[in-house]
């Protein structure tokens, strides 16, 4: 039996080679891999010696040879195949270990040139992987170091790799080739060339959206059902999700997450990461129904819950800080679908042991508070339409105090400015049309998803009334401009004393005049936050 090893990432390759050699496999290898194995005292034959043809063209051609692909592709159960190998003195290759040139890592580097990208497109590696994966019944193909232990264990216990494992390895190999080719296609489809190709030391201009889009996701689990019981669903994640992404979460207890759980959890998690102070977000049907910051997790939760206790029933709760025993004791008194945080103290975990159905998710976040703001955020968003896909940059805009433009005679106080920024941050995560009343670092009324901005404002007022909260002296955020003064009048009638909105309406002057007339301070953000 023969094993061919040719890897760019040499993690674990020496240990694997030793195990293969111990099982009686003859080791074949190329270039740097062969040199490393020889230095480690392992008997290894260069592929060039096996093929009788030297590597050439700076290594571009080394494994594209019948002795390699014949050894990989020959079916052992077909006499004609085996006779052909014997006639041409070709040995079978029973194990292939290949990982590819680091194309993705290369093009991710700042200033990567087109030449560097092209030279990191692997040719021989994918060809061998495809050959071995096609002939999976006879060849075990390993494309990642995480697979080594399983193969070693099976060889030691049974003297061979099981068909089940070989098929799984084959699927993983084709998946890897798909990811690799997709990355190449995405990059090259993004390159924008003028009349001249850029010089070798110059990075090409890249389009934000490639001419062909190749999305790659790996299935995490099947859902019990989708939004409704008659719809089937599954959850997929990026091949390499960033720290802080929802898909990196570890479920500590509770029932299996549903489709709606994950969708709502993402809305809550993205919102709570927008605050540097300890914060809590409660989401119901994809909309925040309570958001607050506080000195502790308990204070943040207590304030968020006050906004809309009725909607909080069966809600999704997210913290950007550790949940301790004090917070857990209060949260556990309510019916909660999902509770997520970067950490839970042991006391908090003990509290929730009595609530076995509560789904606890631990999602790691950066230690630096400032880094949390963009942790794990998607750079692009997708929306399926009939026969197509809409792709846009994610709305990751962060508004700063220096960005605000005061447009009224009445000037907002320092405290009001902080409330306006808080309200604006929340409004970004509320379905449009969004009107959000806030005061003292907490939401007081939230109006979401209405066809009319006036109705959203009225609903926010009604919600505040149901929670026995006063809107007097509140700050209001509107995710888009007020097209008429009536919207401003509604929030002022409710008690708002300051407003933040994007501006940009043909009737801005009319709305500003109305604010001055009502004694309401108004600032423009110059940014709209529609969320559909």
């Amino acid at each position: 039996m023969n094993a061919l090893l040719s890897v760019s990432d040499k993690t674990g390759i020496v240990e694997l080679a030793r195990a293969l050699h111990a099982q009686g496999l003859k080791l074949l290898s190329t270039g740097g891999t062969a040199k490393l194995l020889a230095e480690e005292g392992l008997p290894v034959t260069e592929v060039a010696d096996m093929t009788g043809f030297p590597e050439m063209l700076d290594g571009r051609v080394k494994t594209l040879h019948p002795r390699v692909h014949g050894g990989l592709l020959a079916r052992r159960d077909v006499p004609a195949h085996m006779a052909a190998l014997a006639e041409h003195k070709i040995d079978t290759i029973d194990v292939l270990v290949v990982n590819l040139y680091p194309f993705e890592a290369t093009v991710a580097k700042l200033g990567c040139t087109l030449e560097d990208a092209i030279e990191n497109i692997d040719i021989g590696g994918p060809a061998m992987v495809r050959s071995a994966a096609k002939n999976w019944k006879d060849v075990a193909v390993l494309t990642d170091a995480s697979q080594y232990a399983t193969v070693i264990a099976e060889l030691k216990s049974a003297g061979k790799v099981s068909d089940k494992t070989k098929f799984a390895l084959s699927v993983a190999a084709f998946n890897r080739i798909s990811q690799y080719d997709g990355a190449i296609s995405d990059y090259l489809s993004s390159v924008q060339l003028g009349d001249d190709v850029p010089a070798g030391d110059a990075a090409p201009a890249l389009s934000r959206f490639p001419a062909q889009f190749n999305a790659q996701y790996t299935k995490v689990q099947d859902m019990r059902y989708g939004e409704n019981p008659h719809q089937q669903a599954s959850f997929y994640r990026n091949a390499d999700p960033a720290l802080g992404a929802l898909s990196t979460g570890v479920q500590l207890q509770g029932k299996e997450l549903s489709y709606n759980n994950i969708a709502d959890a993402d809305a809550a998690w993205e919102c709570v990461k927008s605050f540097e102070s300890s914060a809590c977000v409660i989401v119901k049907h994809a909309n925040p129904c309570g958001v607050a910051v506080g000195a502790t997790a308990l204070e943040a939760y207590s304030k968020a819950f006050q906004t809309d206790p009725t909607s909080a029933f069966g809600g999704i709760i997210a913290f950007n800080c550790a949940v301790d025993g004090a917070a857990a004791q209060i949260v556990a008194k309510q019916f909660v679908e999902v509770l997520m945080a970067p950490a839970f103290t042991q006391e908090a975990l003990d509290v929730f042991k009595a609530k076995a159905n509560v789904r606890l998710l631990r999602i790691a976040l950066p230690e630096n508070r400032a880094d949390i703001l963009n942790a794990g955020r998607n750079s692009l968003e997708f929306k399926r339409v009939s026969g197509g896909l809409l792709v846009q940059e994610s709305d990751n805009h962060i508004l700063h105090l220096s960005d605000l433009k005061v447009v009224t005679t009445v000037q907002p106080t320092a405290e009001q400015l902080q409330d306006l920024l808080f309200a604006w941050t929340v409004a970004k995560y509320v379905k449009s049309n969004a009107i959000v009343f806030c005061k003292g670092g907490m939401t007081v009324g939230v109006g979401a998803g209405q066809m009319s901005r006036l109705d959203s404002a009225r609903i926010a007022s009604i919600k505040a009334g149901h929670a026995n909260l006063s809107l007097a002296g509140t700050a209001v955020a509107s995710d888009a401009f007020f097209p008429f003064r009536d919207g401003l009048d509604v929030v002022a009638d409710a008690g708002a004393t300051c407003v933040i909105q994007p501006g940009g309406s043909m009737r801005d002057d009319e709305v500003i005049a109305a604010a001055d007339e009502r004694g309401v301070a108004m600032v423009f953000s110059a940014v709209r936050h529609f969320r559909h």
Side-chain angles (χ1 to χ4, degrees), residues 289 304-314 334 463 466-469:
C289 61
F305 183 79
Q306 287 180 59
T307 303
D308 191 351
T310 301
S311 296
F313 180 83
Q334 308 300 325
K463 289 282 190 181
H466 288 169
N468 296 316
L469 295 173

Side-chain angles (χ1 to χ4, degrees), residues 79-137:
H81 282 202
M82 300 310 292
L85 292 191
E87 178 183 355
H88 296 285
K89 298 182 173 57
I90 297 175
D91 292 330
T92 60
I93 297 173
D94 309 283
V95 175
L96 177 72
V97 187
V98 169
N99 54 59
L100 310 176
Y101 291 175
F103 179 84
E104 296 100 327
T106 298
V107 298
K109 294 177 183 175
L110 189 65
C112 172
T113 66
L114 182 58
E115 182 177 347
D116 284 342
I118 294 296
E119 288 307 312
N120 276 278
I121 296 175
D122 203 331
I123 302 300
M128 287 192 293
V129 168
R130 290 176 67 88
S131 291
K134 177 176 180 175
N135 200 25
W136 66 269
K137 286 187 177 181

Side-chain angles (χ1 to χ4, degrees), residues 60-77:
R60 283 189 170 199
V61 177
K62 50 190 172 186
T63 58
L64 297 171
H65 194 280
R67 287 191 179 276
V68 173
H69 288 274
L72 291 170
L73 282 166
R75 288 183 55 179
R76 281 45 160 182
D77 60 344

Side-chain angles (χ1 to χ4, degrees), residues 112 114 187-194 196 198 202-208:
C112 172
L114 182 58
Y187 174 80
L188 295 180
S189 295
S190 299
V191 173
Q192 296 180 303
L193 296 183
D196 299 315
L206 300 176
S207 169
R208 187 72 177 86

Side-chain angles (χ1 to χ4, degrees), residues 3-20:
L4 196 163
L5 298 76
S6 181
V7 294
S8 176
D9 177 5
K10 295 177 174 54
T11 302
I13 194 64
V14 173
E15 292 77 7
L16 175 64
R18 285 200 178 103
L20 294 174

Side-chain angles (χ1 to χ4, degrees), residues 431-453:
K431 298 290 186 179
S432 188
N433 288 313
I435 295 290
V436 180
F437 289 81
C438 297
K439 188 175 183 180
M442 65 175 282
T443 48
V444 185
V446 179
Q450 299 305 302
M451 289 71 78
S452 162
R453 193 162 300 278

Side-chain angles (χ1 to χ4, degrees), residues 143-482:
T143 51
D144 190 270
S146 63
Q147 301 164 338
Y148 297 174
T150 297
V151 169
I152 290 172
E154 290 194 7
L155 285 172
K156 285 182 177 179
S157 63
K160 64 178 183 178
V161 183
S162 69
D163 284 352
K164 180 180 179 180
T165 296
K166 284 189 290 188
F167 183 73
L169 292 171
S170 171
V171 172
F174 279 120
N175 288 344
R176 175 62 186 130
I177 296 302
S178 174
Q179 294 166 1
Y180 195 72
D181 287 343
I184 294 169
S185 172
D186 282 346
Y187 174 80
L188 295 180
S189 295
S190 299
V191 173
Q192 296 180 303
L193 296 183
D195 293 333
D196 299 315
V197 176
D201 59 351
L206 300 176
S207 169
R208 187 72 177 86
F209 302 99
Q212 177 167 306
F213 188 77
N214 302 277
Q216 300 286 343
Y217 297 93
T218 302
K219 186 161 75 172
V220 177
Q221 66 188 87
D222 289 320
M223 309 276 89
R224 283 192 301 160
Y225 52 80
E227 283 184 296
N228 300 292
H230 64 276
Q231 295 170 267
Q232 294 184 349
S234 289
F235 176 39
Y236 291 77
R237 68 174 160 222
N238 294 345
D240 187 22
L243 177 68
L246 177 74
S247 64
T248 65
V250 177
Q251 186 169 350
L252 304 180
Q253 73 162 54
K255 297 184 293 184
E256 190 175 83
L257 288 162
S258 72
Y259 180 97
N260 291 333
N261 287 158
I262 292 174
D264 287 348
D266 188 59
W269 187 241
E270 290 303 298
C271 184
V272 83
K273 289 189 298 184
S274 299
F275 300 97
E276 289 192 45
S277 303
S278 295
C280 175
V281 173
I282 305 173
V283 160
K284 193 70 173 288
H285 295 298
N287 277 301
C289 61
V291 181
V293 294
T296 64
L298 174 58
E299 181 185 352
Y301 170 74
S302 298
K303 290 166 67 178
F305 183 79
Q306 287 180 59
T307 303
D308 191 351
T310 301
S311 296
F313 180 83
I316 308 289
I317 302 175
F319 290 88
N320 65 354
C321 57
V323 174
D324 58 17
Q329 290 282 1
I330 302 302
V331 173
K333 293 179 179 180
Q334 308 300 325
F335 170 44
V336 179
E337 285 279 358
V338 180
L339 174 62
M340 68 197 89
F344 295 86
T345 66
Q346 187 57 53
E347 186 179 359
L349 294 175
D350 290 342
V351 168
F352 284 108
K353 282 181 181 177
K355 298 278 187 174
N357 287 334
V358 176
R359 303 164 176 91
L360 296 187
L361 281 182
R362 184 180 63 225
I363 310 173
L365 284 173
E367 293 184 8
N368 186 342
R369 279 281 186 180
D371 293 336
I372 293 175
L373 297 179
N374 284 310
R377 294 201 188 279
N378 297 323
S379 60
L380 295 176
E381 289 183 349
F382 316 123
K383 182 174 289 187
R384 287 301 305 267
V385 295
S386 180
L389 182 73
L390 286 170
V391 182
Q392 68 170 352
E393 290 182 338
S394 295
D395 186 1
N396 292 329
H397 181 271
I398 297 174
L399 190 70
H400 301 283
L401 194 61
S402 58
D403 298 326
L404 301 181
K405 179 183 178 182
V406 181
V407 295
T408 50
T409 302
V410 180
Q411 297 290 306
T413 66
E415 183 179 3
Q416 285 177 325
L417 286 171
Q418 291 305 313
D419 278 340
L420 287 169
L421 284 176
F422 179 87
W424 185 252
T425 300
V426 176
K428 176 179 172 182
Y429 296 95
V430 176
K431 298 290 186 179
S432 188
N433 288 313
I435 295 290
V436 180
F437 289 81
C438 297
K439 188 175 183 180
M442 65 175 282
T443 48
V444 185
V446 179
Q450 299 305 302
M451 289 71 78
S452 162
R453 193 162 300 278
L454 290 175
D455 287 342
S456 287
R458 292 173 182 132
I459 288 172
S461 300
I462 292 169
K463 289 282 190 181
H466 288 169
N468 296 316
L469 295 173
S470 171
L471 295 179
T474 52
V476 167
S478 173
D479 64 339
F481 62 64
F482 289 108

